[in-house]
Amino acid sequence: MHSGALRVLHIGKFYPPYRGGMEVFLSDLIAAQRAQGIDAHALVHGRPLPEDPPWLERVPVQFNMVYAPIALGFRSALGRAIRRIRPDVLHLHMPNNSALWALTLPSARQVPWVVHWHSDVVVSNIKWSVALAYLVYRPFEQALLERAQQVFATSPPYLEASPALRAWHSKCEVVPLGIDLATPHPATPLREELSWRTNTRLRLLSIGRLTYYKGFETLICAVATLPGVELLIAGEGELQESLEALIRTTTPPGASPAARLLGSVSEEEKHALLHSCHIFCLASRERTEAFGIVLLEAMQHARPSIVTDLPGSGMPWVVAQAKAGLHVPFEDVESWRSTIARLQHDNALRERLGAAGPHALQRYFGIVPCERSLARHYRYLAPGRVAPAERHSLMIVICTRNHEESIAHLIHRVRTLTDAPVLVVDNRSTDATCHIAENCGAKVIRPLLGMTTWGSLQTGIRYAVAHGYESVVTIDADGRYEVEEIGALLISHKDADLVLGFFPEKHSRVRLFAWQWFRWVTGFPLRDFVSGFCLYRRAALRVAASADATLLDYQDIGMLLLMRSAALRIAEVELSMHTAKVDRSKMFQSWRNAWRYAAVSALLCIAHGRPRPF
């Protein structure tokens, strides 16, 4: 990490290999942050492991009290971590009783805080001990929220329904959780004890700690009398014995149990189970289940979900946003039974819901857009604490608007052909273009106001100049074939400051006439005056990023004249066309526009002196 990088200290509950939604998210978030140059560290509960990286510290837990880990050394560990790391931001993940120690440390109070609100501590109607413990916990929780500069809620319904956040809406923002979409999960053969019965027609899966709010009792009762249905429940917890007893009592005499408890499974086995099931079920009955990261993992495997329509929980919101499942009233056994039977007999609906999951992940629930949203708030809290500018070689700038169907392919092709970073300038898209681009690993800039094509290009060029890049290739997202010729563009005319890509193709007569006029007026022997596929080297970048260039309405002739005025070398290279391309120039759709554009170019030439060859 760079010495000038933004330093963030996460105060979490646990960290993998401990398995849980908060833990999966924290792991993916830190990986994404460190990949983006943020010096992210974590302080969590647990026994230190030999393979732990230096940025992760675990504090041993002595005992648990009302489901909360008690680590007596957490306060001193937090103080040491702050002195060692000198964080610019403390990122507190709640609920977490150990995070409250930050209130007592002067060194912690000198650092800006953000709070990630994963869940309320629900005043339980099921567990009186949780309700009693919250009476002690709540004043400290509210003091923590008062001290925080920013609070991140994970879904709109949860923010609106949270009693704990009610007084702090002015500092709250919704940032949905996300997961790592770039790391594949290879198929892993299931152990025999985890395998499904051979005569099972519908395979249901549920995953979670065997605890009071998960609602496994509802699922077990719902499937007990459904023929051809098997439910596997992965997880361990204090309800193991009582759930096994419920399975025995609900199984008809002489029949095989419809539900089975698998116990703890590895990360690989979890994904193998998700891949092999037909439907994922989450029957939680309290708002302690705030979001359901495991729902996103089911979407990764294109599996539909059934969840409880729990008021104030993010679960039904996630499924509705993704259009990847159904929801039923909580603790309603008959509704669960009828919904499972519906999906059992409606294969088309099941497949449609499952297919929506991967697409929704790209649009809404990837870890990359989540990380970018958090980073924007970090920069506000710690201005100036960013990685110092480095001298880089090449950046690819893609200008786009409403290209959700093609932007992922375009970015993947760029990544295949070059290791250069990709910057996408998203010009007010109304679809999921920017989210998909971020999930593909591109840096995305979204101007607040609509811009011309040149305005978008110059925004990308200025970003590259500010970050020390020595050359830029610009790509218009409409020209999807252009990416295939990046290599040819880079190696051609190495002595030129600006290289323009020319693709021989059939043009309209209006355009051909206008180009002939441009060649005569300007003295530029170019065959394409409006190419969006260009290579700008260092000197050309300075001109393109200048104030004079900002005044251009369209860059075509004006940019060439500015380059020539700066005595730069301009070259054109003929490239192969890989896909059919339509005539994209709106400037030449009528003779009137062509004459007007030609007249403007003539005036510009007169203003810049007599034409001369380049």
Side-chain angles (χ1 to χ4, degrees):
M1 287 294 155
H2 305 294
S3 59
L6 182 80
R7 295 186 296 272
V8 178
L9 176 57
H10 292 271
I11 311 300
K13 204 167 184 180
F14 290 97
Y15 194 86
Y18 187 95
R19 288 180 287 278
M22 285 179 66
E23 291 70 36
V24 168
F25 171 72
L26 182 58
S27 173
D28 287 352
L29 175 61
I30 290 178
Q33 288 180 336
R34 295 185 71 83
Q36 290 298 319
I38 294 175
D39 191 9
H41 297 252
L43 182 68
V44 299
H45 303 93
R47 182 176 300 173
L49 301 175
E51 62 271 20
D52 284 344
W55 48 260
L56 173 63
E57 181 178 357
R58 304 181 199 260
V59 183
V61 174
Q62 281 71 44
F63 57 94
N64 287 274
M65 181 180 293
V66 195
Y67 305 103
I70 305 299
L72 301 179
F74 208 97
R75 183 180 185 276
S76 59
L78 177 57
R80 289 193 304 272
I82 292 173
R83 289 192 298 272
R84 183 182 74 256
I85 300 165
R86 293 180 291 112
D88 300 299
V89 178
L90 280 180
H91 193 138
L92 310 177
H93 295 262
M94 300 291 287
N96 182 0
N97 57 294
S98 291
L100 303 179
W101 286 119
L103 292 166
T104 71
L105 287 169
S107 59
R109 294 198 300 271
Q110 294 172 7
V111 181
W113 296 358
V114 298
V115 169
H116 219 123
W117 198 258
H118 293 268
S119 169
D120 293 348
V121 176
V122 176
V123 180
S124 179
N125 295 319
I126 304 168
K127 280 287 184 179
W128 64 266
S129 56
V130 175
L132 185 62
Y134 186 62
L135 295 177
V136 178
Y137 178 85
R138 188 179 189 279
F140 299 101
E141 170 194 83
Q142 291 298 300
L144 197 77
L145 289 168
E146 182 179 17
R147 174 65 180 75
Q149 275 78 15
Q150 185 76 50
V151 179
F152 303 116
T154 58
S155 69
Y158 211 87
L159 174 59
E160 291 303 316
S162 171
L165 299 180
R166 192 166 295 145
W168 313 109
H169 276 202
S170 61
K171 62 173 71 175
C172 290
E173 179 167 333
V174 173
V175 179
L177 301 181
I179 58 175
D180 176 18
L181 304 180
T183 304
H185 298 285
T188 302
L190 287 170
R191 291 182 279 123
E192 184 177 351
E193 57 268 30
L194 303 182
S195 300
W196 308 87
R197 292 196 308 256
T198 55
N199 62 342
T200 298
R201 297 196 299 272
L202 187 70
R203 301 191 291 266
L204 306 181
L205 177 67
S206 193
I207 299 172
R209 190 159 59 92
L210 306 184
T211 191
Y212 68 97
Y213 69 86
K214 288 291 188 178
F216 291 124
E217 298 88 345
T218 302
L219 283 179
I220 291 170
C221 293
V223 302
T225 57
L226 285 174
V229 175
E230 184 178 17
L231 167 67
L232 299 186
I233 300 175
E236 57 186 0
E238 66 275 7
L239 296 186
Q240 176 94 22
E241 293 184 3
S242 62
L243 292 177
E244 287 178 344
L246 180 63
I247 292 172
R248 288 193 297 270
T249 58
T250 55
T251 301
S256 299
R260 184 154 47 100
L261 304 183
L262 303 180
S264 179
V265 297
S266 68
E267 190 72 9
E268 293 76 15
E269 289 170 337
K270 176 185 72 174
H271 283 282
L273 286 165
L274 285 166
H275 187 73
S276 62
C277 75
H278 292 136
I279 302 171
F280 181 77
C281 301
L282 198 56
S284 301
R285 51 183 176 167
E286 280 193 352
R287 289 181 59 257
T288 306
E289 191 73 76
F291 190 88
I293 281 284
V294 70
L295 295 173
L296 308 186
E297 294 176 319
M299 292 180 205
Q300 275 188 297
H301 295 274
R303 297 299 178 257
S305 296
I306 306 176
V307 302
T308 47
D309 195 5
L310 193 59
S313 170
M315 276 191 309
W317 176 81
V318 170
V319 168
Q321 190 83 349
K323 298 180 175 60
L326 304 174
H327 39 87
V328 298
F330 71 99
E331 294 189 317
D332 188 332
V333 173
E334 288 303 319
S335 291
W336 271 96
R337 187 174 291 137
S338 62
T339 303
I340 292 169
R342 176 188 176 189
L343 288 182
Q344 180 180 11
H345 297 100
D346 193 339
N347 291 333
L349 174 60
R350 198 167 73 226
E351 290 175 4
R352 185 168 70 251
L353 294 174
H359 184 63
L361 286 179
Q362 293 287 348
R363 295 191 64 170
Y364 307 117
F365 302 118
I367 195 62
V368 174
C370 178
E371 182 276 326
R372 299 285 165 86
S373 295
L374 299 177
R376 284 194 288 270
H377 291 281
Y378 291 164
R379 288 193 292 269
Y380 174 77
L381 294 174
R385 295 297 296 165
V386 296
E390 293 181 277
R391 180 61 60 185
H392 302 280
S393 175
L394 173 67
M395 171 171 273
I396 310 297
V397 173
I398 301 173
C399 295
T400 181
R401 186 176 188 276
N402 291 339
H403 288 100
E404 68 173 0
E405 298 301 326
S406 58
I407 192 66
H409 174 74
L410 179 56
I411 294 171
H412 289 320
R413 290 302 298 143
V414 170
R415 288 287 176 80
T416 301
L417 296 165
T418 175
D419 60 357
V422 178
L423 173 69
V424 172
V425 183
D426 182 72
N427 193 6
R428 308 288 292 165
S429 286
T430 56
D431 60 10
T433 297
C434 56
H435 299 289
I436 295 172
E438 286 182 333
N439 283 331
C440 291
K443 169 72 178 177
V444 177
I445 295 178
R446 284 165 278 184
L448 295 177
L449 301 175
M451 307 179 77
T452 63
T453 301
W454 171 238
S456 297
L457 281 171
Q458 194 190 43
T459 298
I461 288 170
R462 284 185 159 177
Y463 178 93
V465 170
H467 288 76
Y469 288 90
E470 295 184 332
S471 55
V472 167
V473 170
T474 59
I475 297 177
D476 181 351
D478 283 329
R480 292 186 292 275
Y481 59 84
E482 296 169 344
V483 65
E484 306 294 338
E485 293 296 323
I486 284 180
L489 189 70
L490 292 173
I491 64 174
S492 65
H493 299 284
K494 292 189 177 181
D495 59 339
D497 299 297
L498 173 65
V499 183
L500 309 172
F502 168 66
F503 295 85
E505 55 182 312
K506 184 177 181 180
H507 300 290
S508 67
R509 291 183 179 180
V510 177
R511 173 179 278 191
L512 292 174
F513 174 82
W515 283 355
Q516 184 175 350
W517 165 258
F518 296 156
R519 284 191 286 272
W520 181 75
V521 171
T522 65
F524 289 121
L526 299 176
R527 291 169 291 177
D528 187 345
F529 283 83
V530 293
S531 175
F533 188 51
C534 306
L535 169 62
Y536 294 80
R537 294 194 170 104
R538 188 184 305 177
L541 286 175
R542 287 198 296 269
V543 174
S546 66
D548 285 344
T550 304
L551 299 177
L552 298 174
D553 186 18
Y554 290 91
Q555 85 277 19
D556 306 321
I557 301 298
M559 194 69 251
L560 293 171
L561 291 171
L562 286 177
M563 295 287 177
R564 188 167 65 184
S565 296
L568 301 187
R569 292 157 297 183
I570 304 171
E572 186 178 53
V573 57
E574 182 174 319
L575 302 172
S576 300
M577 187 164 50
H578 293 264
T579 63
K581 179 174 183 277
V582 299
D583 189 340
R584 292 179 287 121
S585 178
K586 296 179 181 178
M587 296 297 297
F588 301 99
Q589 290 178 354
S590 71
W591 284 93
R592 179 181 176 184
N593 282 343
W595 280 111
R596 183 173 60 186
Y597 194 63
V600 171
S601 67
L603 291 173
L604 285 168
C605 289
I606 294 170
H608 282 79
R610 295 181 60 189
R612 66 178 184 270
F614 62 97

